[in-house]
Amino acid sequence: MPGALRLLGGVAALGAAGVTYAHVETKLFTVRHVTVPVLPPGQADLRVLHVSDLHVVPSQRTKLAWIRSLADLEPDLVVDTGDNLADRGAVGPLLDALEPLLTTTPGVFVMGSNDYFGPRPKNPARYLLRDPRVIHAEPIDLPWQELARAFTEAGWKDLTNRRDVVEAAGRTVACVGVDDPHLDRDAFPASAPDDAGPDGRTPDLRLGVAHAPYVRVLDAMHADGVDAVLAGHTHGGQLRVPFYGALVTNCDLDRGRASGLHGWPGPRPDAPGGAGSTWLHVSAGAGTSPYAPVRFACRPEATLLTLTAR
């Protein structure tokens, strides 16, 4: 198992000092800025804030303050791709941190496995298996319904196995989303005969939204004709080897697309050979499981995507 050997070698190479730094890196929050030439010609830019994998517990004051500061970016649209929670008491602190965005900015969201169920200790070697998931007989239920209700009451659109339309900065954005593929809860919505906005306008942009970027979901969204897909779940590999990259993605997505801006199923659309591809952005996320509080060469992040005209 070459992947296992690489992981073991990487962990051994970290040593005590490396492990200490890997814990510190979990608090080195950053905002990545990415430009995506995806809008119709002649349109003004659209600023989309992509947040994912926050894995909030109430005691994480530094993380919560950073989340609250994201409103200073003044995005036109927020896309939340799930795994917001890591504790039963996290909903209140998270909503307080997101309050400046919830009250001012349209948004869309899906849930991830760690919104439904709380984390447990797990042997990290499981991530090297073809299917690393663990099914617990007595899962720890999290209050995801409370979180979803607060999001929808604030006006954010729930894309759990459904389609919806959101207006952002004068643009009509048609969205399609699925429930978490990592838990096999995804059921791709039937094709919509008319995904125009409330005033009958043809959408300016079509987005696909999922928590985990499993190949079956990316293929379905590509076939559906979306302009871009946004996903999370991978943590960017969480422990990355310099000059090599992510060791795992925790799903069937290839390691080369573990985080950042890419194309699907081929190269990115503005690269040679990418004419038939869909834009794909995978967030490395901003958190970790409380039982694996380390990151290496993979700082916790949110991304401000500036969508520009093609």
Side-chain angles (χ1 to χ4, degrees):
M1 185 183 294
L5 295 177
R6 287 194 294 267
L7 180 62
L8 292 173
V11 171
L14 285 178
V19 170
T20 299
Y21 168 78
H23 178 67
V24 170
E25 189 171 302
T26 63
K27 300 174 180 63
L28 300 180
F29 301 102
T30 189
V31 176
R32 289 195 305 109
H33 294 261
V34 175
T35 300
V36 190
V38 69
L39 293 176
Q43 285 213 4
D45 292 352
L46 186 71
R47 293 157 56 87
V48 178
L49 176 63
H50 183 187
V51 295
S52 194
D53 298 88
L54 299 174
H55 293 282
V56 167
V57 300
S59 61
Q60 294 172 328
R61 296 181 180 178
T62 301
K63 181 193 291 184
L64 290 164
W66 174 78
I67 294 170
R68 192 172 182 87
S69 75
L70 295 175
D72 296 340
L73 298 169
E74 298 183 344
D76 301 311
L77 176 67
V78 178
V79 177
D80 183 322
T81 49
D83 271 11
N84 296 278
L85 307 176
D87 185 274
R88 285 174 172 163
V91 172
L94 174 62
L95 291 175
D96 180 70
L98 287 172
E99 184 266 341
L101 289 169
L102 287 167
T103 57
T104 63
T105 310
V108 298
F109 69 94
V110 293
M111 296 292 176
S113 57
N114 286 120
D115 292 309
Y116 295 118
F117 306 117
R120 293 177 183 267
K122 182 167 67 173
N123 184 344
R126 284 201 61 86
Y127 288 106
L128 299 169
L129 302 178
R130 182 177 297 275
D131 186 349
R133 294 172 294 182
V134 178
I135 306 301
H136 294 285
E138 297 182 0
I140 301 171
D141 293 327
L142 294 181
W144 63 270
Q145 298 100 324
E146 181 183 350
L147 181 65
R149 183 167 56 251
F151 281 175
T152 56
E153 288 177 353
W156 286 13
K157 306 290 189 178
D158 186 349
L159 298 179
T160 304
N161 292 333
R162 61 184 300 272
R163 299 174 185 270
D164 214 322
V165 176
V166 62
E167 298 293 316
R171 258 65 63 86
T172 300
V173 183
C175 302
V176 59
V178 293
D179 205 348
D180 185 22
H182 196 59
L183 294 179
D184 295 323
R185 296 172 71 127
D186 54 301
F188 200 81
S191 297
D194 181 11
D195 57 2
D199 59 358
R201 286 186 298 163
T202 299
D204 300 287
L205 179 71
R206 290 179 169 86
L207 291 181
V209 180
H211 173 62
Y214 277 80
V215 167
R216 65 180 183 271
V217 174
L218 300 181
D219 285 344
M221 291 183 171
H222 175 69
D224 199 64
V226 301
D227 298 302
V229 179
L230 275 64
H233 174 71
T234 65
H235 293 194
Q238 194 163 326
L239 298 175
R240 297 175 65 92
V241 177
F243 309 109
Y244 182 82
L247 299 171
V248 294
T249 63
N250 198 22
C251 63
D252 60 359
L253 184 69
D254 60 280
R255 293 185 303 101
R257 294 182 173 95
S259 65
L261 185 64
H262 305 279
W264 185 266
R268 46 188 283 168
D270 61 353
S277 293
T278 298
W279 287 103
L280 168 65
H281 182 260
V282 180
S283 173
T288 69
S289 166
Y291 299 105
V294 290
R295 281 180 173 258
F296 191 82
C298 187
R299 288 176 63 175
E301 68 177 32
T303 306
L304 187 66
L305 299 161
T306 299
L307 310 187
T308 64
R310 294 188 291 269

